[in-house]
Amino acid sequence: MTTVSKANLLILIVALLGSCISAFIVPHHGCNNNVKQVTSALSAIDKNSIQSSESTSSSNIDDSISTSSTNTNIDIDNTMQSRRAFTTRSLITTAASIALTPLLQAPPQAAMAADDVIIENEGLIDVYFGCGCFWHVQHEFVEAEKKILGRTDDQITSRAGYAGGIAGMAEGKVCYHNAASIADYGKLGHAEVVGLKIPPSKFKEFAVEYFNLFDKKGDRPDQAGDRGSEYRSLVGFPGGAKSDYAKLLVDASIATGDKLDFAFGKGDDKDARKTSFVMDTAKFPFFVAEQYHQFHDGFNLNENYPNTYNNLASTYAKGGENFGTCPNGSLGLGFGGL
């Protein structure tokens, strides 16, 4: 008779409960079928035979997307997930990763929730958020850094930049549109984003700030103007959809009105209304934008920020920060994207 450790038994019970609950959330997944999958997974753990996370997640996730009536006419090549299916995949992946850690060798009461694990490993992580033009988005995250982390002007990490393209860099750089077409971010498949460094335990709070950028319908502030893949909505963090942060992202979305669906970012993704692409920063890193794009006023009349904010770009440059060697805009003027 096979002996099951207390830790593995605990996982089995939690997984079974989660599987049955997910059957009500995502009707495609039957509770009985998930029980068989969990039992098989536990058996594999006992035998120290580990399936890859790719194959495990693919067997449990339905590749269809549930869209609202206002979103049914969008032409999207990428396979998408509804918020609920996205949550299910995140929970399954998180449970699998927890099952494979030494943490389970401790008594069951010593096991910690995902949030606690993140806090224990506190440090700074690189994340980025995209929501149309990066000018106003950078300002909002600068304010978030001050509010959430108490950072001062000389401690701000929010930077305008580019991310999400498969090609990465060209000639060792990623640039804004320019007359010479050198490393054009749009041609490289990137979108405009704002990158920053934050403590892992504060990720959800910053995600809440991100979702607050969208209106009640899930539209970006510049939805009527800035459209196309260069302005698509996306979020990047370590591990992407397979990390603990994915669940925190969904929790933040629900807390702010559940306005968006999520798509698993494959790179070079098309713009889609009310949809944010989830990216793994290891595969799709952040590339900082030119100095003239940093701490810039927004387009709207109410987005003329104080000079103390605008001057941060030159302050950081004088302090030795490198904003690259790209041409200064489409006409070489170095302001307003020109």
Side-chain angles (χ1 to χ4, degrees):
M1 179 176 179
T2 303
T3 301
V4 180
S5 67
K6 292 182 179 179
N8 285 338
L9 182 59
L10 176 63
I11 297 171
L12 177 59
I13 294 172
V14 173
L16 289 176
L17 289 174
S19 300
C20 293
I21 292 172
S22 70
F24 292 95
I25 298 176
V26 185
H28 316 323
H29 301 287
C31 181
N32 291 335
N33 185 50
N34 284 337
V35 169
K36 294 178 181 178
Q37 294 171 347
V38 171
T39 304
S40 298
L42 182 58
S43 176
I45 292 172
D46 288 337
K47 296 178 180 178
N48 296 319
S49 175
I50 310 303
Q51 298 281 345
S52 69
S53 60
E54 286 285 339
S55 60
T56 301
S57 59
S58 63
S59 65
N60 287 279
I61 299 301
D62 179 17
D63 287 330
S64 62
I65 179 172
S66 299
T67 55
S68 65
S69 59
T70 59
N71 204 21
T72 54
N73 294 323
I74 297 175
D75 179 18
I76 307 172
D77 291 337
N78 302 77
T79 300
M80 294 186 179
Q81 300 294 327
S82 68
R83 187 259 300 166
R84 294 173 178 81
F86 185 89
T87 304
T88 303
R89 177 172 181 173
S90 301
L91 289 172
I92 292 173
T93 306
T94 301
S97 64
I98 292 175
L100 302 178
T101 62
L103 178 64
L104 295 181
Q105 302 304 318
Q109 60 270 24
M112 295 179 290
D115 288 6
D116 294 325
V117 173
I118 292 174
I119 292 173
E120 180 180 292
N121 298 327
E122 193 76 333
L124 293 179
I125 57 171
D126 291 304
V127 299
Y128 56 76
F129 299 90
C131 178
C133 176
F134 48 24
W135 287 347
H136 69 280
V137 176
Q138 182 180 23
H139 178 265
E140 296 308 304
F141 278 104
V142 166
E143 293 301 305
E145 286 191 72
K146 293 179 178 180
K147 179 179 69 174
I148 298 172
L149 303 177
R151 287 175 175 169
T152 56
D153 283 347
D154 61 339
Q155 298 173 320
I156 295 300
T157 65
S158 293
R159 298 292 185 271
Y162 316 104
I166 295 174
M169 297 185 291
E171 301 180 37
K173 63 187 73 176
V174 178
C175 304
Y176 191 71
H177 306 306
N178 57 86
S181 294
I182 296 175
D184 186 297
Y185 82 98
K187 294 180 180 179
L188 293 173
H190 294 298
E192 296 186 12
V193 300
V194 171
L196 59 157
K197 297 178 183 296
I198 61 174
S201 62
K202 298 297 182 180
F203 176 79
K204 182 178 177 180
E205 292 181 57
F206 279 90
V208 166
E209 296 296 323
Y210 174 65
F211 292 119
N212 283 337
L213 296 174
F214 298 83
D215 66 16
K216 294 180 180 180
K217 297 180 181 179
D219 288 332
R220 300 187 296 259
D222 55 2
Q223 188 75 47
D226 292 331
R227 289 178 290 181
S229 61
E230 296 171 2
Y231 302 105
R232 66 187 182 269
S233 303
L234 66 167
V235 181
F237 45 83
K242 297 180 181 179
S243 77
D244 293 335
Y245 301 110
K247 182 181 183 301
L248 297 178
L249 181 72
V250 173
D251 289 345
S253 177
I254 295 172
T256 52
D258 200 13
K259 298 175 285 190
L260 300 180
D261 280 328
F262 299 101
F264 299 99
K266 299 178 181 179
D268 297 358
D269 303 292
K270 292 184 178 180
D271 188 16
R273 183 170 169 266
K274 298 178 61 176
T275 300
S276 187
F277 293 91
V278 178
M279 317 301 294
D280 183 348
T281 52
K283 296 179 180 178
F284 302 98
F286 170 81
F287 300 96
V288 68
E290 298 82 347
Q291 180 181 331
Y292 68 87
H293 277 308
Q294 305 299 331
F295 309 100
H296 200 289
D297 288 337
F299 271 118
N300 295 328
L301 294 177
N302 63 341
E303 294 175 343
N304 292 323
Y305 309 125
N307 289 335
T308 52
Y309 173 81
N310 301 139
N311 293 336
L312 288 176
S314 59
T315 299
Y316 279 110
K318 291 176 182 178
E321 185 166 343
N322 182 10
F323 291 105
T325 58
C326 290
N328 285 328
S330 56
L331 299 180
L333 301 181
F335 65 88
L338 301 176

